[in-house]
Amino acid sequence: MEKLRVQGGRPLEGEIAVSGAKNSALPVLAACLLTKGPVKLNRVPRVRDIRTMEKLLTYAGARVDVNGSHVVVEAGAVEKPEAPYDLVKTMRASSLVLGPLVARTGRARVSMPGGCAIGARPINLHVASLEQLGASIRQEHGYVEASAPNGLKGAYVHFDRITVTGTEDLLMAAVLADGETVIHNAAREPEVVDVAALLSKMGARIEGAGTSTIHVQGVSELHGAQHTIIPDRIEAGTFLIAGAMTHGDLVVQGCIPEHVAALTVKLRQAGADVTETENGLRVRCPGRMRAVDITTEEYPGFATDLQAQYMAAMTKADGISFITETIFENRFMHALELARMGANIRLEGRQAIVAGMPELSGAQVIASDLRASASLVLAALVAKGETLIDRVYHLDRGYERIEAKLQRVGAQVERVSSHEYATQAT
Ligand code: EPU
C-alpha cells in the first residue's frame, strides 16, 4: 500500500494548475449514455473515481477512448443497463447512471451504494424523483431496479432536501422524458450547471440550471457533442488554503474565482491576501492566520468538500474557530488524526471547536476519506518534521497527481510504498 511522506515547513511558491472537476466529469460521463452519438470531452481529470465511471460505461456497452485528459464516449448500444456491486462499492457516485440508463433503455439495475466514512448517504431522493417521472422501482438483493417500458413522463418534482447528484440524476432522466419536468429545490452547484451545459449541447432543452428551479422540456433524442469540463473548485480551494497556511505566494491557475468565493472571503478575513490574476487567483499570507468560523452549506455557501482542509488551516491559526458541518453527519474523522499532529480540536455533535496552536508536529496518520486525506496533507506541509500519511488511495480518488503538483511549488512530499518505507526505516 502506498503512503505519502511529507517534510513540513516549506512555503509554497509559484504556479499550480487546477485539473478538471471530478464531480462534474462524473455526471458528464454518465450523461454520455443518453445518446448514440460520440461525446468528446476535454479536461477530464485522471483520478480513480473517473476510471471507475469509465468502467461502468464500458460495462454497460459503451466504447470509451481515453487519451490523457481527452475522452471520447460512444454508447451506440446500451446492452447491459447495469451497475454491478463490484464497481459501485468503490464509488458512491455510481448512482448517477440510474437516471440515464432508465431514460435511454427503459430499465436500469444499479447496485445500492453501501455505507461511507462521511455519513449514511442514502439515495432515497434519487429513487423518489425517478418514480415521479413514472419509473417503477424495486429495491431487492442490494440492487435498485428501475423500469419504464413506455418511457418516462415529465412531472413536477420537489426535492425534500437539496441533493447534488440527485438533481443531476433527475435532470439526465428528464431530458428524454415526454413533456415538461420542473425540478424544484434543485442543487445550484456549478457541477449541475456544467452537466446541463453538456446536455444542452446534445440537444436537450433546459432552463434555470444554477438556480433552485430547473425547467426541462423533454426531447425524443439527443446527439453527440463536444464539451470541456469546468476546473475543479475543490482542488483549487485546497491549493488556496495550502498557499495561505504555508505563508507562501501561490498562483492557482485556471480556477474560477466565483466558484471559490465563499472560501476566499474567509481566507481574507483570516488575514490572507487573495487577488485575481489573468487566469486564476494568487494567495499570499505573510503573518499567522486568524481564527475565523465557517458553516458548511450548499452552493454558493461554504463547501462541505473544503471543510476538512479549512480545519487544517485553523489548527494553526491565532484564536478559536467554530466549524459547523450541516451537510453530512459524520464528516469530522480528520479531526482525530489532526489531533495526533498536535491540533487542539473538541467535537460537539456537528460542530468542531478548534483552538489554534503555534505549532503542529509531524506524525503517522491515516486518511479516512478523500477530503480528510487532503486536510492531512495540508497539516503535514506546515508541521514540524516528517508526517507519513497512510491509505493515500483515498486521495487518488479525487486529486490528480497531487504530490507532483505540490513538489513543483516547493513542497517536500513523496509517495512511498509500505515496503519501501519499511526498508528505509530499518
Ligand atoms: N441525501 C439524502 N437522500 C438522497 C441523497 C442525499 O438524504 O437520496 C442527503 C445526504 O445524506 C446528505 C445531503 O442529502 O446529507 C446532501 O447530499 P448530496 O446528495 O448533495 O451529496 P452527493 O450528491 O452524494 C455530492 C458530491 C460530494 C459532496 C456533496 C455535497 C459528487 C459525485 N459528490 O455528493 O463530493 O460532498 O455533493 O456537496 O458530486 C467529494 O468529492 O469528496 C464528495 C463527497
Side-chain angles (χ1 to χ4, degrees), residues 1-7 362-365 385-390 414-426:
M1 212 183 294
E2 291 178 329
K3 300 174 194 256
L4 280 190
R5 182 163 51 201
V6 186
Q7 281 289 341
Q364 292 198 25
V365 287
E386 180 180 296
T387 298
L388 199 62
I389 305 168
D390 203 351
E414 61 180 335
R415 193 176 283 253
V416 289
S417 68
S418 300
H419 167 72
E420 194 182 328
Y421 188 74
T423 318
Q424 285 172 3
T426 50

Side-chain angles (χ1 to χ4, degrees), residues 18 231-233 236-237 240 252-260 279-281:
V18 176
D232 195 313
R233 65 193 167 99
L240 288 169
V252 181
Q253 285 279 13
C255 80
I256 299 175
E258 191 192 335
H259 289 178
V260 286
N279 186 25
L281 286 169

Side-chain angles (χ1 to χ4, degrees), residues 232-364:
D232 195 313
R233 65 193 167 99
I234 305 303
E235 188 196 23
T238 304
F239 293 151
L240 288 169
I241 296 171
M245 277 176 84
T246 61
H247 308 297
D249 183 352
L250 196 62
V251 176
V252 181
Q253 285 279 13
C255 80
I256 299 175
E258 191 192 335
H259 289 178
V260 286
L263 170 68
T264 49
V265 164
K266 294 293 175 179
L267 290 178
R268 287 189 184 112
Q269 286 171 7
D273 180 26
V274 187
T275 48
E276 283 195 29
T277 63
E278 214 170 283
N279 186 25
L281 286 169
R282 176 180 183 187
V283 62
R284 281 167 294 181
C285 188
R288 188 176 177 194
M289 287 175 86
R290 288 187 289 274
V292 176
D293 302 344
I294 57 151
T295 298
T296 62
E297 279 167 19
E298 292 90 0
Y299 189 83
F302 194 100
T304 174
D305 289 345
L306 285 172
Q307 177 259 107
Q309 301 88 314
Y310 185 82
M311 188 187 291
M314 288 299 105
T315 61
K316 273 201 76 186
D318 187 12
I320 295 178
S321 54
F322 289 76
I323 296 182
T324 310
E325 172 60 54
T326 71
I327 307 294
F328 292 110
E329 66 272 21
N330 188 27
R331 210 174 195 181
F332 282 144
M333 302 280 272
H334 44 282
L336 304 171
E337 296 302 303
L338 290 171
R340 302 196 67 252
M341 301 176 71
N344 183 345
I345 304 169
R346 196 168 80 226
L347 297 181
E348 285 187 3
R350 291 201 164 198
Q351 199 163 57
I353 302 153
V354 187
M357 306 297 284
E359 206 161 77
L360 295 181
S361 63
Q364 292 198 25

Side-chain angles (χ1 to χ4, degrees), residues 211-249:
T211 74
S212 51
T213 307
I214 305 177
H215 292 260
V216 184
Q217 290 292 342
V219 296
S220 55
E221 214 175 54
L222 296 176
H223 50 75
Q226 186 157 1
H227 185 68
T228 300
I229 308 287
I230 54 169
D232 195 313
R233 65 193 167 99
I234 305 303
E235 188 196 23
T238 304
F239 293 151
L240 288 169
I241 296 171
M245 277 176 84
T246 61
H247 308 297
D249 183 352

Side-chain angles (χ1 to χ4, degrees), residues 154-215:
Y156 177 89
V157 179
H158 175 90
F159 277 113
D160 285 347
R161 74 173 287 177
I162 298 175
T163 160
V164 179
T165 52
T167 301
E168 293 160 350
D169 222 355
L170 177 61
L171 183 61
M172 293 187 280
V175 291
L176 285 183
D178 181 21
E180 188 184 28
T181 298
V182 180
I183 309 176
H184 201 231
N185 203 24
R188 293 179 286 165
E189 268 65 5
E191 293 77 15
V192 175
V193 179
D194 206 28
V195 184
L198 167 70
L199 290 169
S200 300
K201 289 177 192 166
M202 290 162 73
R205 292 174 59 200
I206 302 168
E207 269 174 35
T211 74
S212 51
T213 307
I214 305 177
H215 292 260

